[in-house]
Amino acid sequence: MMNILLNLFVSSGQMTDLLFTEKDLVTSLKDYIRAEENKLEQIKKWADKLDVLSAAATQDPEGFLGHPVNAFKLMKRLNTEWAELESLVLTDMSDVFISNLTIQRQHFPNDDDQTGAAKALMRLQDTYQLDTNIISTGELPGHALTVDDCYDLGKVAYSEADYYHTELWMVQALKQLDEGETSSTVDAITILDYLSYSVYQQGELERALEFTRRLLELDPTHQRANGNLKYFEYQLAKQKKVEGREEGEEAEGRGQKGGTRGRPDDYLPERKKYEELCRGEGIRMTPRRQSRLFCRYYDNNRHPRYVIGPVKEEDEWDRPRIVRYHDIVSDKEMEKVKELAKPRLQRATISNPITGVLETAHYRISKSAWLGAYEHPVVDKINQRIEDITGLDVTTAEDLQVANYGVGGQYEPHFDFGRKDEPDAFEELGTGNRIATWLLYMSDVQAGGATVFTDVRAAVWPKKGTAVFWYNLYPSGEGDYRTRHAACPVLVGNKWVSNKWIHERGQEFRRRCGLQEMD
């Protein structure tokens, strides 16, 4: 089953809205503080004035009250002014701030969003092989993580039974505590408790015992640690009695939970290849093949719109052929597309190959919106441009899909076309399979965010205003399995793309069917 995950953190567009919401709340909070300060200043002035008055009056009460003005003013103060002061003290200056906070809170992230953001950070850590210290100390652009932040990340991993990442982040939290950083919510005893259990679950009895002993030095009465100490010592003694094992086998067999050191296995068999390509490693393009890739001015067989002003076409890959078109849309056009999409961005969905129902998936972390050609002239203009350049009919294509990937946003390896085991993938559209993909990059990405093709080990990097194009089907109509591709996690920055999936219907005389499967 496909999991429903986070809703907010992946869309940088909506994250920007949250940032400004927080800025407004800070302004409102400062207004409240000023109001409270003004109120206290008034009370202080009143108290100081009365302090001086009462000090003089009580030295000679009869003489003071013998003056009719003084007697009148005392009556007035006690009857009227103290009541006004009481009213001032009871005035709640927080009403405006609380009201504003209540209104804005409905747009706040929830627990699932916070968990999703933590998972995104750990996904980036794995994909780009980042050390916890690099992330925590702010060596990446951004703010440093506190002890509490590291501890919270470790707790998220622990709740998912991900003891590998639990250990990494609890060790970082402990390191920062040892270096003198203070924490408001967590102490070394709590961190060591998590650490001892997480390393035990990974089969490291000796380290589990080491962390447990350190915990007991801080709190000799810790009930669970005392129990664990005896258990770990017993298991370690039992383990050492086992003979005839090789050292490597011992390391694998430690612990009663069958745990192993390192990242847990997951559902994606090509995970390692995918992450290597995201880091720019393992790309397979020999110098000989590279020498056959060219840049050119392209007019699509002297198309009337491009005879005078041809487009700049660059070969990105040869087999399958992937081309990039430079300066294909203007900044103004891209901003209009983003503007149209932002209000309707929703968690991206995929079509379930079994049920055909659109649903969210754990491997597609982005927000998307669909724009029809009728909605704005700029959308119609982009659609027409795609048709003119590719030579394919876009009247049977799907609407323009706009996607926004925030930090950690990704789309793991997939095919754009329907495979033989999912014959009804696009049946309801009635336009055949997806023959080709047009992918327009509408932002530069500071780090990460490449589009990688895992089967052929190719990588294409985002560049604002450019579009890449490839065929998903051979001329015979068979699917080209070399086009399996993925969107790498965004490490720094945010990624805006729009894609057009072009279908078979209408292409009969534009890309003629071939008897050969290979192109």
Side-chain angles (χ1 to χ4, degrees), residues 466-480:
T466 71
V468 292
F469 174 79
W470 67 87
Y471 281 101
N472 296 305
L473 307 179
Y474 291 111
S476 64
E478 293 292 319
D480 187 347

Side-chain angles (χ1 to χ4, degrees), residues 80 124 193 210 295 305 321 324 338 344 379 396 491:
T80 306
L124 292 171
D193 197 15
E210 177 188 332
C295 298
R305 285 194 175 92
R321 186 166 187 248
R324 186 194 297 260
K338 292 179 193 177
R344 54 178 107 167
V379 180
T396 58
L491 179 57

Side-chain angles (χ1 to χ4, degrees), residues 203-207 209-210 213 231-247 249-251 253-256:
E204 296 194 43
L205 272 172
E206 290 185 2
R207 290 187 69 217
L209 192 58
E210 177 188 332
R213 284 173 176 158
Y231 179 72
F232 293 158
E233 286 176 338
Y234 167 75
Q235 290 294 340
L236 199 57
K238 182 180 175 182
Q239 193 178 79
K240 288 179 178 178
K241 290 179 182 178
V242 178
E243 296 178 357
R245 282 187 181 176
E246 294 182 2
E247 186 176 342
E249 291 175 335
E250 285 181 359
R254 288 176 184 168
Q256 299 303 301

Side-chain angles (χ1 to χ4, degrees), residues 6 40 120 135 203 252 325 327 341 447 491 501:
L6 51 159
L40 288 173
I135 300 172
E252 281 190 51
Y325 297 100
D327 304 320
L491 179 57
W501 284 306

Side-chain angles (χ1 to χ4, degrees), residues 275-450:
E275 292 182 348
E276 283 178 350
L277 291 169
C278 288
R279 296 192 297 269
E281 301 169 4
I283 298 172
R284 286 183 184 161
M285 175 59 75
T286 63
R288 183 180 179 85
R289 287 171 62 189
Q290 182 73 43
S291 68
R292 295 172 180 169
L293 302 182
F294 296 96
C295 298
R296 65 190 67 81
Y297 284 105
Y298 179 75
D299 61 13
N300 192 15
N301 295 319
R302 297 185 63 78
H303 188 285
R305 285 194 175 92
Y306 298 106
V307 171
I308 296 176
V311 296
K312 292 177 277 189
E313 183 185 69
E314 177 186 4
D315 295 329
E316 284 282 351
W317 207 256
D318 53 353
R319 298 188 300 270
R321 186 166 187 248
I322 304 168
V323 295
R324 186 194 297 260
Y325 297 100
H326 291 264
D327 304 320
I328 207 67
V329 289
S330 67
D331 286 345
K332 187 176 180 180
E333 288 171 325
M334 287 185 282
E335 289 309 309
K336 175 53 70 173
V337 169
K338 292 179 193 177
E339 180 187 322
L340 293 170
K342 279 180 181 179
R344 54 178 107 167
L345 285 173
Q346 294 182 347
R347 175 71 194 279
T349 57
I350 56 95
S351 177
N352 187 307
I354 299 173
T355 65
V357 176
L358 287 176
E359 55 189 28
T360 58
H362 56 278
Y363 55 82
R364 186 169 192 183
I365 312 297
S366 66
K367 293 256 181 169
S368 64
W370 297 85
L371 300 179
Y374 61 88
E375 297 189 52
H376 195 278
V378 74
V379 180
D380 187 42
K381 189 183 294 185
I382 289 173
N383 287 342
Q384 186 62 54
R385 200 168 298 158
I386 294 170
E387 179 167 314
D388 294 341
I389 291 171
T390 65
L392 298 176
D393 187 347
V394 299
T395 58
T396 58
E398 295 171 52
D399 285 344
L400 191 70
Q401 187 191 46
V402 181
N404 180 212
Y405 297 80
V407 173
Q410 65 173 21
Y411 191 175
E412 290 180 0
H414 63 282
F415 298 101
D416 281 351
F417 63 89
R419 275 78 68 210
K420 290 181 179 179
D421 59 347
E422 40 180 18
D424 301 331
F426 305 109
E427 184 179 22
E428 64 180 31
L429 297 178
T431 53
N433 211 341
R434 287 173 174 168
I435 191 173
T437 296
W438 172 280
L439 178 62
L440 171 65
Y441 295 112
M442 299 194 297
S443 67
D444 292 313
V445 180
Q446 288 175 261

Side-chain angles (χ1 to χ4, degrees), residues 147-260:
V147 171
D148 294 340
D149 294 331
C150 296
Y151 170 73
D152 287 339
L153 286 166
K155 275 184 65 179
V156 168
Y158 182 83
S159 69
E160 301 283 321
D162 177 0
Y163 302 112
Y164 169 73
H165 287 107
T166 303
E167 178 194 350
L168 289 179
W169 285 105
M170 290 299 176
V171 164
Q172 183 64 32
L174 189 63
K175 175 178 178 289
Q176 291 180 210
L177 266 184
D178 290 343
E179 290 174 350
E181 185 180 323
T182 56
S183 167
S184 60
T185 62
V186 65
D187 55 27
I189 293 170
T190 306
I191 295 172
L192 286 164
D193 197 15
Y194 276 103
L195 266 176
S196 63
Y197 187 73
S198 63
V199 297
Y200 161 68
Q201 284 286 356
Q202 295 179 84
E204 296 194 43
L205 272 172
E206 290 185 2
R207 290 187 69 217
L209 192 58
E210 177 188 332
F211 286 129
T212 303
R213 284 173 176 158
R214 182 175 170 186
L215 190 161
L216 288 170
E217 287 175 6
L218 298 172
D219 182 7
T221 64
H222 197 285
Q223 188 175 354
R224 183 168 48 251
N226 276 298
N228 286 346
L229 179 69
K230 294 175 183 177
Y231 179 72
F232 293 158
E233 286 176 338
Y234 167 75
Q235 290 294 340
L236 199 57
K238 182 180 175 182
Q239 193 178 79
K240 288 179 178 178
K241 290 179 182 178
V242 178
E243 296 178 357
R245 282 187 181 176
E246 294 182 2
E247 186 176 342
E249 291 175 335
E250 285 181 359
E252 281 190 51
R254 288 176 184 168
Q256 299 303 301
K257 300 294 182 182
T260 55

